Amino acid sequence: MLAQLLQFSFSGLTVGATYALAALGFTLIYNASHVINFAQGEFIMIGGMLAVFLVGLGVPLPFAIVLAVAVAALVGVLMEKLAIEPVGRGDTLALVIVTIGVSLVLRGAVQVWLGKGSHALPSFSGDAPILIGGAALMPQSLWVLATSAAVVVALAWFFERTLAGKAMLATAINRTAAELVGIDTDRVLRVSFALSAALGALGGILITPITLTSFDVGIMLGLKGFAAAVVGGLGSGLGAIVGGLLVGLIEAFCAGWLSSSYKDAVPFVLILFILFFLPSGLFGPKTTERV
Amino acid sequence: MTNRITSLVGLAIVTAVVAIIPFVAPNSFYLDLAIRTGINAVVVLGLNLLIGFAGQISLGHAGFIGLGAFASAVLPTHFGWHPLAAMAAGSLAAGALAAVVARPIFRLRGHYLAMATLGLGIIVNIVLRNEAQWTGGPDGMPVPAMTLFGIDVVSDRQWYWIVGALLLVSIWASLNLIDSPFGRAMRALHGSEVAARVVGVDVTRYKVAVFVMSAMFAGLMGSVTAHYVGFVSPALADFGHSVELLTMVVVGGMASVFGSVVGAVLLTALPQLLATLEGWETVAYGAVLVLCMIFLPKGLVPTLAARFERRRR
Amino acid sequence: MRGVFKTLVGGIVLAAGIAQAALAVEPIKVGSVLSVTGAAAYLGDPELKTLQMYVKKLNAEGGLLGRPLELVHYDDGSDANKANAFAKRLVDDDKVDFIVGGTTTGSTMSMVPIVEKAGVPFMSLAGAVVVVEPVKKWVFKASTTDRIAAERVLYDMKQRGITKIALLSDTSGFGQSGRTQTLSVLAKYGVSLVADETFGTKDTDATPQLTKIRNAPGIQAIFVFGFGQGPALVTKNIRQLGIDLPVYHAHGVGSDEFIRIAGPAAEGVKALAPALMIADHLADGDPQKPVVSAYVKTYTDTWKEGVSMFGGQAHDNFFIVVDAIRRAGTTDKAKVREEIEKTSKWIGTGGEVNMSATDHMGFDLWGLRLLEVKNGVWVEAK
């Protein structure tokens, strides 16, 4: 019984950590622009697929990871420059639709370029499971959890200690006021896109040894990351992390105890539940505002 | 008044096109394309009422289509319902589900409807895929023929006239709705919610009503699709299908009745044109969305109409 | 005026002449609707490549009945509703002579009403038994079904004294139809289920389901029914959890890609596949050796990638019609249909095909071979 409980928790936390990274990506962009970026899932896909591609070319894994994350960040900036900026800030609805369009373009382009097959990456430190209380924990899961934790710490430092981070926070709280004190909010938006893309890509690379990757993994991962962000409260960094882990855990326990067929419904039932009873999410700002 | 004339002219043009197509279509493939376009156009009209006049988007309309379609497949097959009764039930179920979800959501402000409908649509899809003993699971199931007054409606031509009539009635109803006090209230919402509230418009009630109506449109057309195609599968309720419908609204023009029709025509034909473009289809579809938002933010019909107006002056 | 009239008449005569000439070498049109993108792309992609390759090859060799072949293909994106629309287009607009395709059961079933109404020979590439049961006049499917696959695996289990198993099926049409068929033939082989779980084709983790399976009382083996990357992931998860039970896969994983993705975890796993997957290991006297070797060579030379059984199925279904047209000496649809139904002792990559008026599939239990991964390659299980 305990072993089962532990096994479900390991599984839930690992998957949940990737949802959390995706949710953080949603949050960053939402804070900078109030846009829900439906291309977030594609960043996850791009990270994994690029890493696989580079390793296939013979690039050593650590370089492949850095390069893949960097390219994804560049894609994020380009997306902001070429698709988001021309539409302009006014119409949030139009911006949301643009992100859906961009996600289709990215997914289609990768499909044409790298094909439709599934790909795996070797685990970073072997495939021998660590047995804890009768449950198996994969070393790669530790990588996922540790890296996610490191990213969270780094982000916290960035927002509290650096000027760029503070500028982003200020923009999130009140854009007009931020502009008045001389913050370049367009740049903030660009940095947000770069950062979200990098976060997504990093998550995508980390889980590829566990979950495999292909051109269309971004759809479901993106939607579930979005669900995690809503559960945690759109706009809250802490909420994104807790939301992600929570969605992952509930999913794993649902698959184990209730029904594996309905586990994919979990994040979306949670969305409805949260909107009905706790509209600002677990940690979201308490005032909801018309945008 | 000129607005009214423009509307009538538009309606006349659509009527003429609908009447001519069967006589100029080289073969029934084009008729089939026209029927599918008509079905999409009616759904998009409903969606456009919601988006254009209540300022809310739905990312789950395919879920309502799926409900209608499977009502028409499951109820007659497993419970021996008359297809018409099943059709009504499907549409009502879609409306009821929309109402249940809408009430709490519309108390909030912001784009929460998008999130809620996204979740709802995906849940419907998952249920349809999983309840294989009723729905045939991911492979879907055949649909019994529709019978009207003891006659089986099976031929393309019969369905063409039914869909054509539905389309014209929907356009006419939408145009009237916009001019009605109800419609004015709806437009007021889009302009300013606070102002609407001040003049005594019950914001939440109207929003819920619009949403429920558009869900019922979608459910009804789901039923029509099911009977026309003779087969349903859960792919009808896919998130991707919701996005396609949204694209039609955006390309044609938000808040524009004829924009809905134009959007449906263009984007139903587009996949057929792209069908031989192996692989690039998704890219092209996405690019159309992005380019449209950048260069035609109001959509094709309103932009062209504005340009025409300017030139006349 | 006269000049104009003359030119006009001349033009019409010329145009008619061209039309006449075109008529004389009018190509035989091969229609296909395959899932080249979307969830079933893994199946549809090699199917399309196979068709493209052989249409080109036949044309280079002088065509069929002296007429060139023309492939008209549409991708349904793994969406059954699109397949229905494209089938209509093939029948009404392109006026094809026969249709190969419908990668998935859903796509196939949505196309069936159209081909039945129009009367076009239709070779489905889908897996489920509903395609050919009950028999439909114009619908054939020279590829194995899920029920045969289930029986073949259960037969082997019975031989090895395995009676308590876990079934883990994917949530696609392939897996769910496979699950239903497995449940329907369990009793025949004296096997009972101690766990019955599912996993999504795009799932990232199946350890919760497998933890449950591991703890099921008396479990002796795991039967995985799925296709694509899902079963590879499940295989990895099984070994990660340290579960040391025999693992059987149905006929949805028979490709080198499975071994590449699952890595060392694939070692010792059993799966069903046609002889195609062990082309190099076939005995010289094996009746399938020539056709299988030829297919593997042509495919790998053309596309520079490994073969999969799905491409092989496309090959078989395509050539059954080609041979039927040759025998009939015409593309008259009714005659071609009759000849397809008469196909007997026809050796393809999937095994021997014997069709009849009551059997539009033509395979028995032995078309599929039970393979095992040994040292990173598929070999026939002992």
Side-chain angles (χ1 to χ4, degrees), chain C residues 117-143:
Chain C
K117 201 164 123 193
V120 178
F122 177 39
M123 307 296 290
S124 165
L125 301 178
V129 78
V130 293
V131 174
V132 284
E133 267 180 37
V135 171
K136 298 159 195 73
K137 190 175 176 195
W138 296 91
V139 183
F140 299 86
K141 160 182 137 56
S143 60

PDB file of all heavy atoms in Angstrom, chain C residues 117-143:
ATOM      1  N   LYS C 117     -22.214   2.721 -51.727  1.00  0.00           N
ATOM      2  CA  LYS C 117     -23.235   3.357 -52.546  1.00  0.00           C
ATOM      3  C   LYS C 117     -22.739   3.508 -53.988  1.00  0.00           C
ATOM      4  O   LYS C 117     -23.476   3.269 -54.934  1.00  0.00           O
ATOM      5  CB  LYS C 117     -23.573   4.729 -51.954  1.00  0.00           C
ATOM      6  CG  LYS C 117     -24.922   5.275 -52.370  1.00  0.00           C
ATOM      7  CD  LYS C 117     -25.333   6.404 -51.445  1.00  0.00           C
ATOM      8  CE  LYS C 117     -25.597   7.684 -52.215  1.00  0.00           C
ATOM      9  NZ  LYS C 117     -25.700   8.852 -51.366  1.00  0.00           N
ATOM     10  N   ALA C 118     -21.476   3.921 -54.122  1.00  0.00           N
ATOM     11  CA  ALA C 118     -20.955   4.194 -55.460  1.00  0.00           C
ATOM     12  C   ALA C 118     -20.478   2.922 -56.166  1.00  0.00           C
ATOM     13  O   ALA C 118     -20.371   2.893 -57.386  1.00  0.00           O
ATOM     14  CB  ALA C 118     -19.808   5.194 -55.370  1.00  0.00           C
ATOM     15  N   GLY C 119     -20.184   1.880 -55.390  1.00  0.00           N
ATOM     16  CA  GLY C 119     -19.695   0.657 -56.002  1.00  0.00           C
ATOM     17  C   GLY C 119     -18.268   0.774 -56.500  1.00  0.00           C
ATOM     18  O   GLY C 119     -18.002   0.641 -57.693  1.00  0.00           O
ATOM     19  N   VAL C 120     -17.348   1.052 -55.595  1.00  0.00           N
ATOM     20  CA  VAL C 120     -15.931   1.153 -55.946  1.00  0.00           C
ATOM     21  C   VAL C 120     -15.166   0.142 -55.095  1.00  0.00           C
ATOM     22  O   VAL C 120     -15.351   0.104 -53.883  1.00  0.00           O
ATOM     23  CB  VAL C 120     -15.388   2.572 -55.653  1.00  0.00           C
ATOM     24  CG1 VAL C 120     -13.908   2.665 -55.983  1.00  0.00           C
ATOM     25  CG2 VAL C 120     -16.170   3.603 -56.426  1.00  0.00           C
ATOM     26  N   PRO C 121     -14.314  -0.692 -55.700  1.00  0.00           N
ATOM     27  CA  PRO C 121     -13.521  -1.625 -54.897  1.00  0.00           C
ATOM     28  C   PRO C 121     -12.686  -0.867 -53.874  1.00  0.00           C
ATOM     29  O   PRO C 121     -12.006   0.100 -54.211  1.00  0.00           O
ATOM     30  CB  PRO C 121     -12.622  -2.313 -55.933  1.00  0.00           C
ATOM     31  CG  PRO C 121     -13.327  -2.158 -57.228  1.00  0.00           C
ATOM     32  CD  PRO C 121     -14.054  -0.852 -57.139  1.00  0.00           C
ATOM     33  N   PHE C 122     -12.746  -1.321 -52.635  1.00  0.00           N
ATOM     34  CA  PHE C 122     -12.150  -0.572 -51.529  1.00  0.00           C
ATOM     35  C   PHE C 122     -11.320  -1.521 -50.679  1.00  0.00           C
ATOM     36  O   PHE C 122     -11.838  -2.473 -50.120  1.00  0.00           O
ATOM     37  CB  PHE C 122     -13.284   0.065 -50.718  1.00  0.00           C
ATOM     38  CG  PHE C 122     -12.840   0.818 -49.483  1.00  0.00           C
ATOM     39  CD1 PHE C 122     -11.695   1.599 -49.482  1.00  0.00           C
ATOM     40  CD2 PHE C 122     -13.593   0.765 -48.325  1.00  0.00           C
ATOM     41  CE1 PHE C 122     -11.304   2.301 -48.351  1.00  0.00           C
ATOM     42  CE2 PHE C 122     -13.207   1.464 -47.178  1.00  0.00           C
ATOM     43  CZ  PHE C 122     -12.070   2.227 -47.199  1.00  0.00           C
ATOM     44  N   MET C 123     -10.013  -1.272 -50.613  1.00  0.00           N
ATOM     45  CA  MET C 123      -9.121  -2.095 -49.804  1.00  0.00           C
ATOM     46  C   MET C 123      -8.753  -1.317 -48.552  1.00  0.00           C
ATOM     47  O   MET C 123      -7.996  -0.348 -48.609  1.00  0.00           O
ATOM     48  CB  MET C 123      -7.840  -2.438 -50.563  1.00  0.00           C
ATOM     49  CG  MET C 123      -8.040  -3.070 -51.936  1.00  0.00           C
ATOM     50  SD  MET C 123      -8.851  -4.674 -51.895  1.00  0.00           S
ATOM     51  CE  MET C 123      -7.582  -5.703 -51.176  1.00  0.00           C
ATOM     52  N   SER C 124      -9.285  -1.717 -47.411  1.00  0.00           N
ATOM     53  CA  SER C 124      -9.004  -1.004 -46.169  1.00  0.00           C
ATOM     54  C   SER C 124      -7.691  -1.475 -45.562  1.00  0.00           C
ATOM     55  O   SER C 124      -7.317  -2.640 -45.670  1.00  0.00           O
ATOM     56  CB  SER C 124     -10.132  -1.228 -45.165  1.00  0.00           C
ATOM     57  OG  SER C 124      -9.702  -0.841 -43.883  1.00  0.00           O
ATOM     58  N   LEU C 125      -6.987  -0.576 -44.893  1.00  0.00           N
ATOM     59  CA  LEU C 125      -5.744  -0.943 -44.217  1.00  0.00           C
ATOM     60  C   LEU C 125      -5.942  -0.972 -42.709  1.00  0.00           C
ATOM     61  O   LEU C 125      -4.995  -1.065 -41.943  1.00  0.00           O
ATOM     62  CB  LEU C 125      -4.643   0.064 -44.580  1.00  0.00           C
ATOM     63  CG  LEU C 125      -4.331   0.182 -46.070  1.00  0.00           C
ATOM     64  CD1 LEU C 125      -3.274   1.247 -46.307  1.00  0.00           C
ATOM     65  CD2 LEU C 125      -3.865  -1.141 -46.626  1.00  0.00           C
ATOM     66  N   ALA C 126      -7.201  -0.874 -42.258  1.00  0.00           N
ATOM     67  CA  ALA C 126      -7.472  -0.784 -40.825  1.00  0.00           C
ATOM     68  C   ALA C 126      -7.383  -2.142 -40.148  1.00  0.00           C
ATOM     69  O   ALA C 126      -7.332  -3.178 -40.805  1.00  0.00           O
ATOM     70  CB  ALA C 126      -8.851  -0.179 -40.604  1.00  0.00           C
ATOM     71  N   GLY C 127      -7.384  -2.122 -38.819  1.00  0.00           N
ATOM     72  CA  GLY C 127      -7.134  -3.345 -38.074  1.00  0.00           C
ATOM     73  C   GLY C 127      -8.362  -4.086 -37.572  1.00  0.00           C
ATOM     74  O   GLY C 127      -8.334  -5.297 -37.418  1.00  0.00           O
ATOM     75  N   ALA C 128      -9.459  -3.371 -37.316  1.00  0.00           N
ATOM     76  CA  ALA C 128     -10.546  -4.004 -36.561  1.00  0.00           C
ATOM     77  C   ALA C 128     -11.388  -4.926 -37.424  1.00  0.00           C
ATOM     78  O   ALA C 128     -11.542  -4.743 -38.630  1.00  0.00           O
ATOM     79  CB  ALA C 128     -11.423  -2.942 -35.926  1.00  0.00           C
ATOM     80  N   VAL C 129     -11.968  -5.905 -36.760  1.00  0.00           N
ATOM     81  CA  VAL C 129     -12.705  -6.952 -37.446  1.00  0.00           C
ATOM     82  C   VAL C 129     -14.033  -6.434 -38.000  1.00  0.00           C
ATOM     83  O   VAL C 129     -14.582  -6.991 -38.951  1.00  0.00           O
ATOM     84  CB  VAL C 129     -12.884  -8.137 -36.462  1.00  0.00           C
ATOM     85  CG1 VAL C 129     -13.981  -7.859 -35.472  1.00  0.00           C
ATOM     86  CG2 VAL C 129     -13.097  -9.440 -37.187  1.00  0.00           C
ATOM     87  N   VAL C 130     -14.546  -5.306 -37.457  1.00  0.00           N
ATOM     88  CA  VAL C 130     -15.830  -4.784 -37.941  1.00  0.00           C
ATOM     89  C   VAL C 130     -15.779  -4.384 -39.411  1.00  0.00           C
ATOM     90  O   VAL C 130     -16.811  -4.312 -40.073  1.00  0.00           O
ATOM     91  CB  VAL C 130     -16.304  -3.536 -37.140  1.00  0.00           C
ATOM     92  CG1 VAL C 130     -16.640  -3.906 -35.718  1.00  0.00           C
ATOM     93  CG2 VAL C 130     -15.282  -2.424 -37.197  1.00  0.00           C
ATOM     94  N   VAL C 131     -14.578  -4.146 -39.929  1.00  0.00           N
ATOM     95  CA  VAL C 131     -14.452  -3.719 -41.322  1.00  0.00           C
ATOM     96  C   VAL C 131     -14.966  -4.809 -42.270  1.00  0.00           C
ATOM     97  O   VAL C 131     -15.635  -4.531 -43.264  1.00  0.00           O
ATOM     98  CB  VAL C 131     -12.978  -3.381 -41.659  1.00  0.00           C
ATOM     99  CG1 VAL C 131     -12.823  -3.084 -43.143  1.00  0.00           C
ATOM    100  CG2 VAL C 131     -12.507  -2.208 -40.832  1.00  0.00           C
ATOM    101  N   VAL C 132     -14.686  -6.069 -41.930  1.00  0.00           N
ATOM    102  CA  VAL C 132     -15.069  -7.154 -42.840  1.00  0.00           C
ATOM    103  C   VAL C 132     -16.132  -8.084 -42.243  1.00  0.00           C
ATOM    104  O   VAL C 132     -16.483  -9.091 -42.839  1.00  0.00           O
ATOM    105  CB  VAL C 132     -13.841  -7.977 -43.247  1.00  0.00           C
ATOM    106  CG1 VAL C 132     -13.025  -7.214 -44.273  1.00  0.00           C
ATOM    107  CG2 VAL C 132     -12.982  -8.338 -42.058  1.00  0.00           C
ATOM    108  N   GLU C 133     -16.597  -7.766 -41.046  1.00  0.00           N
ATOM    109  CA  GLU C 133     -17.667  -8.562 -40.440  1.00  0.00           C
ATOM    110  C   GLU C 133     -18.771  -7.642 -39.968  1.00  0.00           C
ATOM    111  O   GLU C 133     -18.536  -6.830 -39.054  1.00  0.00           O
ATOM    112  CB  GLU C 133     -17.128  -9.368 -39.233  1.00  0.00           C
ATOM    113  CG  GLU C 133     -16.690 -10.745 -39.609  1.00  0.00           C
ATOM    114  CD  GLU C 133     -16.156 -11.523 -38.409  1.00  0.00           C
ATOM    115  OE1 GLU C 133     -16.716 -11.342 -37.309  1.00  0.00           O
ATOM    116  OE2 GLU C 133     -15.198 -12.268 -38.577  1.00  0.00           O
ATOM    117  N   PRO C 134     -19.958  -7.688 -40.500  1.00  0.00           N
ATOM    118  CA  PRO C 134     -20.391  -8.554 -41.590  1.00  0.00           C
ATOM    119  C   PRO C 134     -19.731  -8.166 -42.920  1.00  0.00           C
ATOM    120  O   PRO C 134     -19.279  -7.035 -43.069  1.00  0.00           O
ATOM    121  CB  PRO C 134     -21.901  -8.302 -41.640  1.00  0.00           C
ATOM    122  CG  PRO C 134     -22.065  -6.924 -41.079  1.00  0.00           C
ATOM    123  CD  PRO C 134     -21.009  -6.784 -40.039  1.00  0.00           C
ATOM    124  N   VAL C 135     -19.723  -9.095 -43.858  1.00  0.00           N
ATOM    125  CA  VAL C 135     -19.108  -8.855 -45.158  1.00  0.00           C
ATOM    126  C   VAL C 135     -19.864  -7.751 -45.897  1.00  0.00           C
ATOM    127  O   VAL C 135     -21.086  -7.731 -45.918  1.00  0.00           O
ATOM    128  CB  VAL C 135     -19.130 -10.152 -46.002  1.00  0.00           C
ATOM    129  CG1 VAL C 135     -18.702  -9.868 -47.433  1.00  0.00           C
ATOM    130  CG2 VAL C 135     -18.221 -11.187 -45.379  1.00  0.00           C
ATOM    131  N   LYS C 136     -19.093  -6.780 -46.437  1.00  0.00           N
ATOM    132  CA  LYS C 136     -19.701  -5.731 -47.248  1.00  0.00           C
ATOM    133  C   LYS C 136     -19.245  -5.922 -48.683  1.00  0.00           C
ATOM    134  O   LYS C 136     -18.074  -6.204 -48.913  1.00  0.00           O
ATOM    135  CB  LYS C 136     -19.263  -4.354 -46.723  1.00  0.00           C
ATOM    136  CG  LYS C 136     -19.724  -4.127 -45.300  1.00  0.00           C
ATOM    137  CD  LYS C 136     -18.899  -3.053 -44.601  1.00  0.00           C
ATOM    138  CE  LYS C 136     -19.128  -3.090 -43.106  1.00  0.00           C
ATOM    139  NZ  LYS C 136     -18.486  -4.259 -42.456  1.00  0.00           N
ATOM    140  N   LYS C 137     -20.156  -5.733 -49.613  1.00  0.00           N
ATOM    141  CA  LYS C 137     -19.900  -6.120 -51.001  1.00  0.00           C
ATOM    142  C   LYS C 137     -18.589  -5.562 -51.556  1.00  0.00           C
ATOM    143  O   LYS C 137     -17.800  -6.285 -52.145  1.00  0.00           O
ATOM    144  CB  LYS C 137     -21.064  -5.672 -51.886  1.00  0.00           C
ATOM    145  CG  LYS C 137     -20.981  -6.239 -53.287  1.00  0.00           C
ATOM    146  CD  LYS C 137     -22.215  -5.878 -54.116  1.00  0.00           C
ATOM    147  CE  LYS C 137     -22.017  -6.394 -55.551  1.00  0.00           C
ATOM    148  NZ  LYS C 137     -22.958  -5.796 -56.493  1.00  0.00           N
ATOM    149  N   TRP C 138     -18.324  -4.290 -51.353  1.00  0.00           N
ATOM    150  CA  TRP C 138     -17.185  -3.651 -52.024  1.00  0.00           C
ATOM    151  C   TRP C 138     -15.961  -3.477 -51.116  1.00  0.00           C
ATOM    152  O   TRP C 138     -14.958  -2.916 -51.528  1.00  0.00           O
ATOM    153  CB  TRP C 138     -17.603  -2.282 -52.560  1.00  0.00           C
ATOM    154  CG  TRP C 138     -18.653  -2.383 -53.624  1.00  0.00           C
ATOM    155  CD1 TRP C 138     -20.005  -2.357 -53.439  1.00  0.00           C
ATOM    156  CD2 TRP C 138     -18.442  -2.574 -55.021  1.00  0.00           C
ATOM    157  NE1 TRP C 138     -20.649  -2.511 -54.638  1.00  0.00           N
ATOM    158  CE2 TRP C 138     -19.717  -2.639 -55.634  1.00  0.00           C
ATOM    159  CE3 TRP C 138     -17.302  -2.693 -55.822  1.00  0.00           C
ATOM    160  CZ2 TRP C 138     -19.878  -2.818 -57.007  1.00  0.00           C
ATOM    161  CZ3 TRP C 138     -17.465  -2.863 -57.192  1.00  0.00           C
ATOM    162  CH2 TRP C 138     -18.740  -2.934 -57.763  1.00  0.00           C
ATOM    163  N   VAL C 139     -16.073  -3.922 -49.874  1.00  0.00           N
ATOM    164  CA  VAL C 139     -14.998  -3.642 -48.908  1.00  0.00           C
ATOM    165  C   VAL C 139     -14.153  -4.884 -48.637  1.00  0.00           C
ATOM    166  O   VAL C 139     -14.684  -5.939 -48.277  1.00  0.00           O
ATOM    167  CB  VAL C 139     -15.590  -3.126 -47.579  1.00  0.00           C
ATOM    168  CG1 VAL C 139     -14.471  -2.776 -46.613  1.00  0.00           C
ATOM    169  CG2 VAL C 139     -16.478  -1.920 -47.831  1.00  0.00           C
ATOM    170  N   PHE C 140     -12.851  -4.754 -48.831  1.00  0.00           N
ATOM    171  CA  PHE C 140     -11.913  -5.843 -48.546  1.00  0.00           C
ATOM    172  C   PHE C 140     -10.844  -5.330 -47.597  1.00  0.00           C
ATOM    173  O   PHE C 140     -10.661  -4.123 -47.430  1.00  0.00           O
ATOM    174  CB  PHE C 140     -11.251  -6.337 -49.832  1.00  0.00           C
ATOM    175  CG  PHE C 140     -12.223  -6.889 -50.824  1.00  0.00           C
ATOM    176  CD1 PHE C 140     -12.864  -6.051 -51.725  1.00  0.00           C
ATOM    177  CD2 PHE C 140     -12.504  -8.244 -50.856  1.00  0.00           C
ATOM    178  CE1 PHE C 140     -13.769  -6.555 -52.637  1.00  0.00           C
ATOM    179  CE2 PHE C 140     -13.407  -8.763 -51.772  1.00  0.00           C
ATOM    180  CZ  PHE C 140     -14.049  -7.913 -52.670  1.00  0.00           C
ATOM    181  N   LYS C 141     -10.116  -6.251 -47.028  1.00  0.00           N
ATOM    182  CA  LYS C 141      -9.070  -5.835 -46.097  1.00  0.00           C
ATOM    183  C   LYS C 141      -8.098  -6.987 -45.967  1.00  0.00           C
ATOM    184  O   LYS C 141      -8.296  -7.895 -45.165  1.00  0.00           O
ATOM    185  CB  LYS C 141      -9.730  -5.503 -44.753  1.00  0.00           C
ATOM    186  CG  LYS C 141      -8.849  -5.501 -43.564  1.00  0.00           C
ATOM    187  CD  LYS C 141      -9.695  -5.194 -42.334  1.00  0.00           C
ATOM    188  CE  LYS C 141      -9.360  -6.062 -41.167  1.00  0.00           C
ATOM    189  NZ  LYS C 141      -7.985  -6.030 -40.760  1.00  0.00           N
ATOM    190  N   ALA C 142      -7.063  -6.963 -46.804  1.00  0.00           N
ATOM    191  CA  ALA C 142      -6.084  -8.040 -46.769  1.00  0.00           C
ATOM    192  C   ALA C 142      -5.001  -7.706 -45.762  1.00  0.00           C
ATOM    193  O   ALA C 142      -3.839  -7.528 -46.098  1.00  0.00           O
ATOM    194  CB  ALA C 142      -5.488  -8.262 -48.150  1.00  0.00           C
ATOM    195  N   SER C 143      -5.429  -7.551 -44.519  1.00  0.00           N
ATOM    196  CA  SER C 143      -4.451  -7.386 -43.450  1.00  0.00           C
ATOM    197  C   SER C 143      -5.079  -8.037 -42.239  1.00  0.00           C
ATOM    198  O   SER C 143      -6.287  -8.216 -42.175  1.00  0.00           O
ATOM    199  CB  SER C 143      -4.163  -5.912 -43.190  1.00  0.00           C
ATOM    200  OG  SER C 143      -5.343  -5.247 -42.821  1.00  0.00           O
TER     201      SER C 143
END
